[in-house]
Amino acid sequence: MSGNITFTMIKPMAMRNGAGGAILKMIQDGGFEIIALKMKQMSKSDAEEFYGIHKDKPFYENLVEFMTSGPIIAAVLKKDNAVEDYRKLLGSTNPETAEEGTIRRAFATNMTMNAAHGSDSDENAIIETKFHFKDDEIFN
Ligand code: CMP
């Protein structure tokens, strides 16, 4: 499945704002097929592991606290060139510079509460997918 999947999480503030459905619609309208989907709340250890690459960054603790503050939607998306195309649909990490028509422009609150996560490489898309989904939860 390398190259044609990416992993996303709709983050707690977007969920609290009731934007989960609208974001899933933007994803489907963007040509992505949703091949796995679940609503869940991440534990502290889940979030620490998932964002482990950022553990030395000043925003890490705040990010872990926020990501465990309520339910998320986790999903696996399928499309040619999925990682790059989904990052375009998300818009830049900082919503103040996110382009018109992007998920973050429409639904982000700030850099931490930036509506949704998207994998940054094909390799991480697979690692992140396996982190959240068992093989029999993926309809590829
Ligand atoms: P995400 O795509 O989930 O991956 C890492 C997250 O770290 C990112 O979205 C942001 O929410 C957060 N992040 C990255 N850079 C910063 C920053 N400079 N300040 C606060 N949060 C950040």
Side-chain angles (χ1 to χ4, degrees):
M1 56 187 183
S2 177
N4 69 350
I5 63 145
T6 191
F7 171 79
T8 189
M9 289 188 289
I10 301 175
K11 299 189 179 186
M13 183 56 82
M15 296 293 288
R16 280 196 278 280
N17 290 339
I23 292 173
L24 290 175
K25 178 159 169 41
M26 282 181 81
I27 288 169
Q28 289 185 308
D29 289 348
F32 296 85
E33 183 187 351
I34 297 170
I35 61 168
L37 185 75
K38 68 171 71 159
M39 188 166 164
K40 66 184 280 191
Q41 183 150 0
M42 291 174 91
S43 66
K44 186 161 189 256
S45 63
D46 276 351
E48 284 172 346
E49 188 181 338
F50 187 88
Y51 283 116
I53 194 170
H54 296 300
K55 68 174 179 300
D56 297 326
K57 304 270 175 58
F59 57 82
Y60 175 70
E61 277 183 29
N62 189 35
L63 181 64
V64 168
E65 189 183 342
F66 165 61
M67 288 303 296
T68 57
S69 68
I72 59 155
I73 286 176
V76 183
L77 313 178
K78 183 176 176 183
K79 184 183 189 293
D80 285 347
N81 205 34
V83 167
E84 198 184 327
D85 286 2
Y86 187 58
R87 289 177 75 81
K88 276 192 205 139
L89 179 61
L90 275 176
S92 49
T93 306
N94 183 347
E96 283 175 25
T97 56
E99 305 70 13
E100 198 64 52
T102 62
I103 289 170
R104 285 172 172 159
R105 178 63 174 260
F107 296 113
T109 303
N110 58 35
M111 191 100 105
T112 300
M113 301 175 188
N114 62 355
H117 163 84
S119 308
D120 64 2
S121 66
D122 291 338
E123 189 190 1
N124 282 337
I126 290 169
I127 292 169
E128 293 173 359
T129 292
K130 288 183 189 298
F131 187 90
H132 283 277
F133 291 97
K134 300 186 207 124
D135 283 353
D136 66 1
E137 294 175 320
I138 303 169
F139 299 88
N140 196 13

